Amino acid sequence: MKILKFGGTSVGSAKSISTVISILEKEYKAGEKPVVVLSAMSGVTNLLSSMAEKAANGEDFTTQLAELETRHFDMVRSLLNVQHQNPAYTRLKINFNHLEELLQGVLTLRELTAKTRDLILSYGERCSTLMISKMAAQYFPEALFVDASELIRTDSDFGHAKVNMELTELVIRSFQQENKDKMLFVTGFIAANDAGQITTLGRGGSDYTAAIFGSALNASEIQIWTDVNGMMTADPRMVKKAFSLPELTYTEAMELSYFGAKVIYPPTMIPAFLKKNTDRYKKYF
Ligand code: ADP
Ligand code: ASP
Ligand code: MG
């Protein structure tokens, strides 16, 4: 079992979503049915956050909301066969209507709590994953959309929720058992507390979702696909001479991410490291 996670830029355009599908096709042809974890389309989480702020300040958010809808609908139009487009539009439209209601609520109250913000941000991953799972179903009939907020249990620290790993692993495992012949397309970044309220795992948290699933399902690999060629000596956007590192230990990867290498969300390494090396883990922490 492999986990493949695709970040915002990997699902940000029709061309990159087609690349995702071809990567998955290769796995599929090789007899793999990976669990696919997806981020929101690039820029969408920031856009949602900005709309929420605008609403709280009494400003108009409708232009941005329309922009968001158009971006998703355009993608459906370019990547889904005509006969599958309507059901996808309908599901997405329901999401956008809920989102609009929420933003209207924030506008009316002029109040944006961390809890409401998480709920608003969750629509990025819910829309991208729903859309891509529908596209994927054209190639892989077993494709199943999975809202991770139904599987990952956290505390109520909205914005940076802490995962109850023990319970989460049990829930994920039993869900996977019930859906053994499916190919799971999972929303990154989002989870829920014991009351079923949506929480988020921190910005960049979809990497962590992949590691949580990897640990729960004892995956042989967790692949983090992004817009650069692996972990590099430095951020290539800042250091022109940065180059890809052929391999790293878990500890080195953890250090790099904790000291700011945005390519991987810091807690991501922990579940993977724990699974591989419980004794060494105990020595470190
Ligand atoms: P994704 O949307 O796929 O999760 P991110 O933007 O979170 O992608 O992470 C990828 C970006 O991380 C790269 O475009 C790169 O600019 C930046 N980055 C920062 N430090 C590093 C590093 N040490 N190695 C590689 N990329 C890095
Ligand atoms: N969409 C979320 C963010 O932009 C999570 C992620 O992309 O990993 O922070
Ligand atoms: Mg990231």
Side-chain angles (χ1 to χ4, degrees), residues 5 8 39-50 117-118 121-122 125 158-161 189-190 200-208 262-268:
K5 179 260 169 178
S39 287
M41 290 165 76
S42 54
V44 166
T45 311
N46 286 345
L47 191 61
L48 289 163
S49 177
S50 144
R117 179 195 295 273
D118 272 3
L121 295 192
S122 74
E125 269 68 13
F158 296 99
H160 299 276
F189 183 50
I190 67 173
T200 61
L201 303 176
R203 293 300 307 271
S206 297
D207 297 335
Y208 190 30
K262 187 188 165 245
V263 67
I264 198 149
Y265 182 61
T268 305

Side-chain angles (χ1 to χ4, degrees), residues 5 7-9 225-228 230-232 234-237 261-263:
K5 179 260 169 178
T9 41
W225 289 80
T226 184
D227 58 349
V228 287
M231 281 190 101
M232 304 173 82
D235 187 341
R237 276 187 272 206
K262 187 188 165 245
V263 67

